[in-house]
Amino acid sequence: MKENSLKYWLSWNKISDIGPKRFYKLLEYFGSIDAAWQAKSGEISKVLNLSSNIATRIFEEKNNIIPEQELDLIHKNKVNVLTIEDILYPENLKTIHYPPPVLYFHGTIVESDKNSISIVGTRKATYYGKMVAEKLSKDLALAGLTIISGMARGIDTAAHKGALSVNGRTIAVLGCGVDHIYPPENRRLAQEIQESGAIISEFPLSTLPERQNFPRRNRIISGLSLGTVVVEAAEKSGALITADFALEQGREVFAIPGNINSPLSNGAHNLIKQGAKLVDNCQDILEEIHIALPQKTAENEMVKENTSLTEEEKTIYQIITKEPIQIDEIIGVSKLSAGKVSEVLLNLELKDLIREIEGKRFLKL
């Protein structure tokens, strides 16, 4: 889009009471956002059917915006912008009800991102939840899908990391401006995501991560995706809001079963009861969205299983499963000395076959 027009898109999008619905009304009536900006206040109020209070707020805000400065701000912060009229605007998002007219992002958005799955869940994730989210994300990324999430603590962070671990594409959708990284401890992760995908937001620069922004963020997460996977979620979790949006948008909803005694399983289990597809591996998702699993994933698993191992390594590797096991139990079952078991466990970790977790416990990757 030409910058002379873009500055007006940025300006209208900055006005808090002009959501997508009013934005598109202006575009339809005036024929262009440029013309809408130049129109008289009375005409705009009539087109949008504004109450006097809302009209006052809108025009006070509009009078304080200088379009040229909005364009300068984008350049100064090196932010990329797409409008609904741009050819690279995400195909999946364009089909939802009132898609965001403007997207701000760091990184790249490519056509293949239409083949994407969102993975969401609680910020207070268990080790099991984070492990499942990371593994599922990794396998889906290997299958050529882009992983969408919200870069929040817990499940979101694990989902992004899973895709990045295999050089896959991942997109983080923010509930604030792209000039704010939230949570702040994910600053390094944000940089990695930008290099292998994008950080994206419908919110103007300088927008803070306030509570009311996150449902809107969740609508974009589901809208970008062919389907949404809920890994761990309590009964009133934001992840369930994302699942509800996915259903409204005609997208698939998947759920990972969890511990029946954990409150963090209630959300996913309720979704399954309501008809969401139960998922325990990436193939369940690929079959539902009709994307074939490339041979490279199967080959990767074969290579992993046949990595050159010593007899002692094979013995211990066979003892370890996907469920955490204590080192004392490994020593007892293997009949090897404690020193030898520690040595072998370290070798298996270096070969990326197992992982140590808290309490001197190990599990197979």
Side-chain angles (χ1 to χ4, degrees), residues 230-292:
V230 176
V231 178
E232 278 186 326
E235 286 192 63
K236 295 183 179 180
S237 168
L240 301 184
I241 295 175
T242 310
D244 286 342
F245 279 128
L247 289 171
E248 289 177 15
Q249 294 159 353
R251 310 296 164 84
E252 300 291 343
V253 175
F254 307 93
I256 301 286
N259 184 337
I260 61 171
N261 296 314
S262 170
L264 294 177
S265 299
N266 292 345
H269 289 177
N270 286 339
L271 286 175
I272 292 168
K273 290 175 185 177
Q274 293 164 20
K277 180 162 183 176
L278 186 154
V279 169
D280 56 26
N281 59 62
C282 77
Q283 192 63 46
D284 292 335
I285 295 170
L286 295 170
E287 287 172 358
E288 202 70 22
I289 61 175
H290 310 299
I291 294 179

Side-chain angles (χ1 to χ4, degrees), residues 119 127-142 147 154-166 231 352 355 365:
I119 299 177
Y127 179 81
Y128 163 80
K130 289 186 280 191
M131 179 189 69
V132 170
E134 188 170 336
K135 177 70 164 63
L136 187 62
S137 174
K138 184 186 297 186
D139 289 345
L140 290 169
L142 282 169
I147 304 302
I155 296 301
D156 290 20
T157 292
H160 292 303
K161 286 182 175 179
L164 292 170
S165 71
V166 291
V231 178
D352 200 27
R355 177 187 294 174
L365 295 179

Side-chain angles (χ1 to χ4, degrees), residues 207-222:
T207 303
L208 298 176
E210 296 173 338
R211 181 184 293 270
Q212 67 268 20
N213 295 346
F214 288 94
R216 287 179 61 182
R217 184 275 307 262
N218 295 345
R219 185 179 86 108
I220 305 308
I221 290 175
S222 59

Side-chain angles (χ1 to χ4, degrees), residues 146-246:
T146 298
I147 304 302
I148 314 289
S149 200
M151 211 174 74
R153 300 177 180 96
I155 296 301
D156 290 20
T157 292
H160 292 303
K161 286 182 175 179
L164 292 170
S165 71
V166 291
N167 297 317
R169 283 189 60 78
T170 184
I171 293 174
V173 184
L174 305 186
C176 53
V178 295
D179 53 337
H180 286 280
I181 299 303
Y182 182 81
E185 64 264 28
N186 273 351
R187 193 169 298 279
R188 182 174 177 181
L189 176 63
Q191 185 59 46
E192 292 177 9
I193 292 171
Q194 291 175 43
E195 294 168 2
S196 297
I199 289 179
I200 190 170
S201 177
E202 67 171 314
F203 296 103
L205 299 186
S206 302
T207 303
L208 298 176
E210 296 173 338
R211 181 184 293 270
Q212 67 268 20
N213 295 346
F214 288 94
R216 287 179 61 182
R217 184 275 307 262
N218 295 345
R219 185 179 86 108
I220 305 308
I221 290 175
S222 59
L224 286 165
S225 315
L226 297 173
T228 293
V229 185
V230 176
V231 178
E232 278 186 326
E235 286 192 63
K236 295 183 179 180
S237 168
L240 301 184
I241 295 175
T242 310
D244 286 342
F245 279 128

